[in-house]
Amino acid sequence: MTDTPEHTPTELVTQLTTLLDVEEIDTDLYRGPRLPGGVGRVFGGQVIAQALQAAQRSVDGDKVAHSLHAYFMRPGDENHPIIFRVVRDFEGRSFANRRIIAMQKGQPILNMTASFQAPAEGLAHQDAMPDVPDPDDLRSEHELREQIRDQVPEKFRRFFLRARPIEIRPVNPRNWFAPEKIAPHQHSWFRVVAPLPDDLALHRAMLAYASDMTLLGTCLLPHGVSWMTGDVQTASLDHAIWLHEPFRLDDWLLYTTDSPWAGHSRGFNRGKIFARDGRLVASVAQEGLIRLKRDRD
């Protein structure tokens, strides 16, 4: 997923698929590959997605993941693969529970629990999908970033402009360099940039990966700050996902987020993910560090 012109959309998605293809190295012990060309801290969505893949591969039968809850403890290092140990805490007829510990260099960087359920019928209702413009009527975030490439500091330019396997089309793009103070609500369409195989476990892992995009920035909207301005430090502290309905990551999904609270250098964010047909397919919650740089001086 490096920014080179020879990377086609199919190659970008293949690289992401390979990144999430954890290797079984012993019973309930898996190794997640490192991102080729990655520099610095591992993207939190990658750790969650690889942990979910490890957990999914330890579950037999027709049970599928319906929720996960993760805590980040240490930043991951792009120079090393991640080892995932899966603990089979519960195996019932309808539900199964897995505990996953992600480690690098002998230290845990993430703890996660995931719950699985066999298919079942029951009472049903859902929130309505917001009325927003169709993704075909919006510009991609990559196009928006290319328009301001000359304003991006050199140290951020490669990361900011690199081609990505997941396309995002924001409904209301914000100004990264002079952000206005606005209400903590935003909507973005997203999908992978090339078709995926009919592997529903892979689609769930890719949604987990993508769910860490755009979410934390929601709690910054009322404060007129951005990571690009260099005046705020951000990091995910915990992350939870509830998977409600089947979906495909190679079709458009709407990510609608809000932030009901921030304080004490933390911001709380919520997300709802809708399929294009209006079904609520997942819900997300996350608390993150949002520390002003001047508060550390």
Side-chain angles (χ1 to χ4, degrees), residues 58-116:
S58 75
V59 176
D60 298 323
D62 58 355
K63 296 185 184 76
V64 298
H66 71 90
S67 70
L68 62 86
H69 301 260
Y71 281 93
F72 295 94
M73 292 175 289
R74 296 176 177 86
D77 186 344
E78 289 278 23
N79 292 313
H80 302 277
I82 304 172
I83 303 299
F84 297 90
R85 177 168 293 282
V86 177
V87 181
R88 304 185 185 215
D89 283 334
F90 178 72
E91 194 71 61
R93 184 168 57 186
S94 299
F95 289 88
N97 188 275
R98 298 290 185 265
R99 180 160 33 102
I100 309 96
I101 305 165
M103 298 175 290
Q104 278 189 327
K105 295 182 286 187
Q107 294 279 356
I109 64 172
L110 173 135
N111 279 341
M112 188 174 96
T113 56
S115 184
F116 297 78

Side-chain angles (χ1 to χ4, degrees), residues 191-209:
R191 67 175 178 183
V192 292
V193 296
L196 289 171
D198 295 331
D199 177 354
L200 297 184
L202 176 62
H203 287 257
R204 289 191 292 271
M206 286 197 174
L207 183 138
Y209 179 93

